[in-house]
Amino acid sequence: MSALLFNTRFRRFCMIAGVILLLPAGSLAQTKRNKAAQMPDGPSPQSTLELALYFYNNDDLDDRAEQLFTRLLRRYDGTPQSETAQFYLAAYYQRRFYMCREKQGDPDWSALKEGAKVYREYTDKYYSEGSHKWLNESFFNLAMVNLQLGEPEAALNELSKMREA
């Protein structure tokens, strides 16, 4: 009899604890929906960047990170977030090459070449403007891409640019 009473009390305790745990989550979700509804003209550059980085950092192979970085570059060119998006778009292509090689056994050479192109666009644009936040990393990563593509002279050239920058 005491085991039955314990089980009944335990079930009640679990139900109450579950309700308590679920209430704040529902309230928080409602608050986020209200904030999203108040945002004029869609997502901000920062929220777009954060979502793109989320997909990037979670090894996205479905091109969601690429789409968000590209959208940010199109809509918010000239913002600090666009400079970061330009760098991470190139890094996404470079990372995609390695992820495809590891996960699918077939490297995505076109992604690596696209990464080189986007790194070059970054270095050309931000060598003389912007915060230069990712300039050295871009030169270094471009050198690594060139080595992977079998172009050691081009890699050395990028490393010398990195030193000058």
Side-chain angles (χ1 to χ4, degrees):
M1 187 75 174
S2 65
L4 181 61
L5 182 61
F6 175 77
N7 284 340
T8 305
R9 287 184 180 169
F10 183 72
R11 280 192 219 133
R12 284 184 188 160
F13 173 77
C14 288
M15 287 181 5
I16 292 169
V19 168
I20 290 171
L21 289 173
L22 290 176
L23 283 178
S27 300
L28 182 59
Q30 183 63 35
T31 303
K32 286 183 179 180
R33 278 193 292 265
N34 289 343
K35 284 183 181 178
Q38 294 170 1
M39 288 175 52
D41 304 332
S44 69
Q46 186 62 36
S47 64
T48 303
L49 178 62
E50 288 171 3
L51 185 58
L53 289 171
Y54 169 80
F55 288 121
Y56 171 85
N57 288 321
N58 284 287
D59 297 337
D60 170 48
L61 283 175
D62 295 325
D63 301 330
R64 292 172 293 197
E66 175 190 22
Q67 292 165 2
L68 288 165
F69 287 133
T70 303
R71 180 182 312 157
L72 195 150
L73 290 169
R74 231 182 5 255
R75 290 186 185 170
Y76 304 108
D77 188 33
T79 64
Q81 292 86 0
S82 70
E83 183 174 351
T84 297
Q86 180 82 35
F87 171 77
Y88 274 100
L89 179 60
Y92 167 79
Y93 290 125
Q94 183 181 14
R95 181 181 242 192
R96 182 177 179 81
F97 168 81
Y98 292 108
M99 286 190 311
C100 287
R101 186 177 70 182
E102 289 300 314
K103 291 183 178 184
Q104 300 167 351
D106 185 26
D108 186 349
W109 290 98
S110 64
L112 193 62
K113 291 174 185 174
E114 187 66 21
K117 178 182 157 220
V118 177
Y119 279 130
R120 170 62 57 227
E121 290 169 359
Y122 180 93
T123 58
D124 288 349
K125 181 173 184 177
Y126 294 106
Y127 190 82
S128 60
E129 65 182 71
S131 71
H132 313 291
K133 185 175 184 177
W134 306 104
L135 192 58
N136 284 332
E137 289 88 347
S138 292
F139 280 126
F140 181 79
N141 289 348
L142 186 52
M144 295 298 104
V145 168
N146 284 328
L147 284 175
Q148 191 69 39
L149 293 171
E151 300 171 4
E153 293 298 320
L156 287 172
N157 185 33
E158 298 306 325
L159 291 174
S160 68
K161 290 179 189 176
M162 184 175 84
R163 187 181 63 214
E164 293 168 11

